[in-house]
Amino acid sequence: DAEITQSPRHKITETGRQVTLACHQTWNHNNMFWYRQDLGHGLRLIHYSYGVHDTNKGEVSDGYSVSRSNTEDLPLTLESAASSQTSVYFCASSERPRGETQYFGPGTRLLVL
Amino acid sequence: AQKVTQAQTEISVVEKEDVTLDCVYETRDTTYYLFWYKQPPSGELVFLIRRNSFDEQNEISGRYSWNFQKSTSSFNFTITASQVVDSAVYFCALSDSGAGSYQLTFGKGTKLSVIP
């Protein structure tokens, strides 16, 4: 069955370190998204991609970057981790970009000390 | 700007009671999409329903039903005869041409606790 996976599922890092969270989907979806979930804020969009080599900033993109070299993967990089980036991160994908259902990965819980 | 409001932060009901989760949205578009997702205690996000703005028919799926009313900009979710397994955080989301071209904007969620 097609699926979307994230790794690692849990990570602890230190302030200032670079961290990369992986997202891999086998749906063959062109559209992929990264969200963060914080108490009291729901889910907020970080970055998204409509296809290979396409990336776009979302609502809370500062301090994050993504790159899309193939259809299946959209890694999220925290260039210099900050305590404010402690959060749960979700990756999602959809078949079409406009108004289509997004299917989510299991999430990565990141703690920045 | 688009906005989704879930005014109920937490709700507790006794098993077998019916419960309605409210969702009010704001958009300037005539074409938009509304969603509900469930996040059980295990943490994953589970898609429940998608509705486009041209389809105001109410939807029923087992014990779940959704009432979409454009006149009041609401897309409410009712669980009939609630069960303990319904305990979760429920998110309403809107997709319109606003920020980032049809990206999802989520409400802050309603935490539902079903007490046995």
Side-chain angles (χ1 to χ4, degrees), chain A:
Chain A
D1 286 345
E3 60 178 357
I4 181 165
T5 57
Q6 295 182 234
S7 62
R9 295 293 313 278
H10 302 270
K11 183 162 183 73
I12 300 174
T13 191
E14 296 177 345
T15 302
R17 290 189 179 267
Q18 184 180 79
V19 176
T20 296
L21 308 182
C23 175
H24 178 80
Q25 53 97 4
T26 58
W27 295 95
N28 201 34
H29 287 164
N30 282 324
N31 312 293
M32 296 183 72
F33 312 86
W34 274 104
Y35 295 85
R36 60 178 288 174
Q37 182 178 22
D38 305 288
L39 202 61
H41 289 278
L43 283 91
R44 293 179 292 174
L45 183 64
I46 304 171
H47 281 286
Y48 59 101
S49 168
Y50 288 149
V52 176
H53 302 310
D54 175 76
T55 62
N56 305 278
K57 294 181 178 181
E59 178 189 355
V60 291
S61 61
D62 287 349
Y64 303 95
S65 63
V66 293
S67 62
R68 187 91 180 269
S69 58
N70 59 52
T71 300
E72 296 79 19
D73 299 289
L74 186 69
L76 176 71
T77 298
L78 287 68
E79 303 292 344
S80 177
S83 57
S84 60
Q85 295 176 307
T86 292
S87 187
V88 181
Y89 292 87
F90 287 97
C91 179
S93 71
S94 69
E95 185 174 3
R96 285 179 285 272
R98 295 176 181 269
E100 284 292 322
T101 300
Q102 294 183 19
Y103 295 96
F104 285 79
T108 294
R109 189 173 295 271
L110 176 68
L111 175 61
V112 182
L113 299 175

Side-chain angles (χ1 to χ4, degrees), chain A residues 9 33 35 37 40-45 48 50 57 88 90 97-107, chain B residues 33 35 37 39 42-45 47 49-50 89 91 95 97 99-109:
Chain A
R9 295 293 313 278
F33 312 86
Y35 295 85
Q37 182 178 22
H41 289 278
L43 283 91
R44 293 179 292 174
L45 183 64
Y48 59 101
Y50 288 149
K57 294 181 178 181
V88 181
F90 287 97
R98 295 176 181 269
E100 284 292 322
T101 300
Q102 294 183 19
Y103 295 96
F104 285 79
Chain B
Y33 305 85
F35 302 81
Y37 285 85
Q39 187 175 41
S42 52
E44 73 271 24
L45 282 155
F47 164 72
I49 190 170
R50 169 183 179 267
V89 180
F91 291 97
S95 175
S97 64
S101 185
Y102 285 95
Q103 298 317 310
L104 283 179
T105 298
F106 284 84
K108 295 184 179 181

Side-chain angles (χ1 to χ4, degrees), chain B:
Chain B
Q2 71 288 347
K3 183 177 177 182
V4 177
T5 302
Q6 295 180 255
Q8 304 149 308
T9 305
E10 293 192 39
I11 301 175
S12 290
V13 298
V14 176
E15 200 171 20
K16 299 184 182 177
E17 287 185 346
D18 298 348
V19 59
T20 296
L21 309 183
D22 297 332
C23 174
V24 175
Y25 61 92
E26 297 176 26
T27 180
R28 298 176 186 171
D29 289 2
T30 55
T31 301
Y32 54 91
Y33 305 85
L34 294 163
F35 302 81
W36 277 95
Y37 285 85
K38 174 182 180 180
Q39 187 175 41
S42 52
E44 73 271 24
L45 282 155
V46 179
F47 164 72
L48 294 178
I49 190 170
R50 169 183 179 267
R51 176 67 74 217
N52 74 55
S53 53
F54 298 107
D55 183 1
E56 281 194 81
Q57 274 194 329
N58 290 333
E59 175 97 5
I60 298 175
S61 176
R63 296 184 296 106
Y64 294 173
S65 62
W66 290 269
N67 182 8
F68 177 28
Q69 291 195 330
K70 290 175 73 171
S71 61
T72 56
S73 296
S74 64
F75 187 42
N76 297 335
F77 173 32
T78 297
I79 301 174
T80 302
S82 60
Q83 300 176 2
V84 173
V85 293
D86 297 326
S87 296
V89 180
Y90 291 87
F91 291 97
C92 180
L94 167 70
S95 175
D96 69 358
S97 64
S101 185
Y102 285 95
Q103 298 317 310
L104 283 179
T105 298
F106 284 84
K108 295 184 179 181
T110 296
K111 182 178 181 180
L112 174 65
S113 298
V114 181
I115 303 164

